[in-house]
Amino acid sequence: MTTTTPGPDGGLSRGLLLLTSVATGLAVAGNYFAQPLLDLIGRELGLGSTSAAMVVTVAQGGYALGLILLVPLGDLVERRRLAVSLYAATAVFLLVSATAANGTVLLVGTALTALASVGAQVVVPFAVSLAAPAERGKVVGTVMTGLLLGLLLARTASGALSEVGGWRTVYWVNAVLMALTAVALRRFLPRLGGDGGGLTYLGLLRSTVVLFRYEPLLRWRAGIGALSLASFSVLWTALTFLLVRPPYDWSASAIGLFGLVGAAGALTATVAGRLADRGYVQIVTGAGTLLLLASWAAVAAGARSLAWLLVGVIVLDLAHQAVLNSTQNVIYALRPEARNRINSAFTTSFFVGGAAGSALTSVVWAAGGWSGVCVLGAAFSAGTVVLWVLERLTAGRAAVKAPRTEPAVPGAHRPPSVSG
């Protein structure tokens, strides 16, 4: 199936790039709206604190299942239809949550919404496929900026909307926005499909796992991405614990606004993308991992200094985005015919790292406070440096060896070797 060219020279038009960026941000945001509203939801639906917290857990589980079970379908079916279907389904499931009369219905709506919201991870490789090779880094940076802004600003938006019309308002508003996005994607995205090389659905899922075996760069980059998101999650999970206590004593609404600080770092993603397009992708990764580690010194000093805390948060977010952007540039160049499966494999590892970081933060905070949290975050960051160095060393050794034929992954024809 051929692709309709949406922009000049086979590239991605500015309008379509903006649409895909906004679409990814809106889809991801839906999984974070409930976090600052758990108390309101619990009181209205008669849920205890543990039951209310299950809303967040169910959202994470549903998203993980979607990454594994739905994202690879982009290599098997027509991608525009898949993306539009997932966005439309997300809108419907948000309405289930908006009208929930009890906790059970809310949990079901949350799980289904999270499952379908992986449409964002179909749109990301879609945009990469439409981009001209020379501007792939810029496209990845712009789209992922939208995704990260959606993640960071979701809490701020939900808090503001709940003040207007209660906790259900954010679900109603997001449902309308997702429905409009589905219409826009149907109208403006070109048809783009992969036949999956004749694979069955089970064969498709199996080949996703097999990619880890035959793509060493995917293995290294999945590890780097997982540790980077773990470090990122440690910070944003622990910030609330720090800011509600002296010397800060901030209110919940003020803490929610702190997401705007992280957004400042996210807006630099296109710079990393442009550097990658100029052939500096490995320099971007290396610098990003080192900055990620260095940022924790400023974050640690932020225990009693707002200025240092602001510096640390901005640098950490900037570094995380640089690592993620450069990593995606590397893995998306591996096997274009299997781009959705590669994205599924990578993002599953990526979010597992984030979940592990969040889970460990609560334990470490209880035992070691802010100092312990900073050691944990720095340890994850140091891991990204180590993996990047090992990747470069193994890539150098592989380059001096005689070429060898690698077994083909079903439905994914091997392109020329990619060193990243």
Side-chain angles (χ1 to χ4, degrees), residues 195-412:
D195 57 16
L199 287 172
T200 63
Y201 177 62
L202 290 178
L204 187 78
L205 298 182
R206 191 179 304 115
S207 71
T208 302
V209 178
V210 170
L211 283 167
F212 276 116
R213 179 180 178 185
Y214 295 127
E215 294 292 350
L217 275 175
L218 177 60
R219 294 197 299 270
W220 288 118
R221 292 292 170 152
I224 291 171
L227 289 174
S228 180
L229 186 61
S231 178
F232 180 88
S233 298
V234 168
L235 172 67
W236 286 98
T237 301
L239 263 179
T240 300
F241 301 152
L242 174 69
L243 295 176
V244 297
R245 290 168 172 77
Y248 293 103
D249 292 316
W250 284 14
S251 66
S253 58
I255 293 172
L257 290 173
F258 213 83
L260 297 174
V261 178
L267 292 173
T268 64
T270 54
V271 176
R274 291 179 188 277
L275 289 172
D277 287 336
R278 294 176 183 174
Y280 301 119
V281 66
Q282 290 298 342
I283 294 176
V284 171
T285 303
T289 60
L290 291 172
L291 277 176
L292 196 68
L293 177 58
S295 69
W296 281 100
V299 170
R304 295 195 171 275
S305 168
L306 179 59
W308 278 115
L309 187 62
L310 291 172
V311 170
V313 169
I314 292 173
V315 173
L316 188 145
D317 283 359
L318 184 156
H320 169 67
Q321 190 68 8
V323 171
L324 175 58
N325 180 275
S326 57
T327 290
Q328 288 175 307
N329 273 277
V330 170
I331 65 171
Y332 287 154
L334 294 175
R335 297 178 185 255
E337 297 85 357
R339 194 163 275 152
N340 283 271
R341 278 168 283 174
I342 285 174
N343 194 44
S344 172
F346 172 74
T347 51
T348 299
S349 304
F350 184 65
F351 283 103
V352 165
S358 297
L360 286 172
T361 299
S362 299
V363 177
V364 172
W365 173 268
W370 187 248
S371 297
V373 164
C374 291
V375 170
L376 176 65
F380 283 133
S381 301
T384 67
V385 178
V386 171
L387 290 185
W388 178 73
V389 171
L390 290 174
E391 178 202 304
R392 292 296 85 211
L393 291 174
T394 55
R397 286 197 295 268
V400 300
K401 292 183 178 179
R404 62 184 179 85
T405 302
E406 296 184 17
V409 176

Side-chain angles (χ1 to χ4, degrees), residues 147-159:
L147 187 148
L148 191 56
L149 286 176
L151 186 155
L152 290 171
L153 300 181
R155 300 169 182 85
T156 304
S158 64

Side-chain angles (χ1 to χ4, degrees), residues 107-170:
L107 290 175
V108 170
T110 299
L112 293 174
T113 297
L115 184 73
S117 70
V118 296
Q121 296 301 334
V122 175
V123 169
V124 173
F126 200 126
V128 173
S129 296
L130 297 177
E135 62 179 17
R136 184 177 293 142
K138 182 187 74 173
V139 168
V140 171
T142 302
V143 175
M144 293 307 296
T145 295
L147 187 148
L148 191 56
L149 286 176
L151 186 155
L152 290 171
L153 300 181
R155 300 169 182 85
T156 304
S158 64
L161 287 171
S162 67
E163 293 289 333
V164 174
W167 66 268
R168 297 179 189 270
T169 305
V170 67

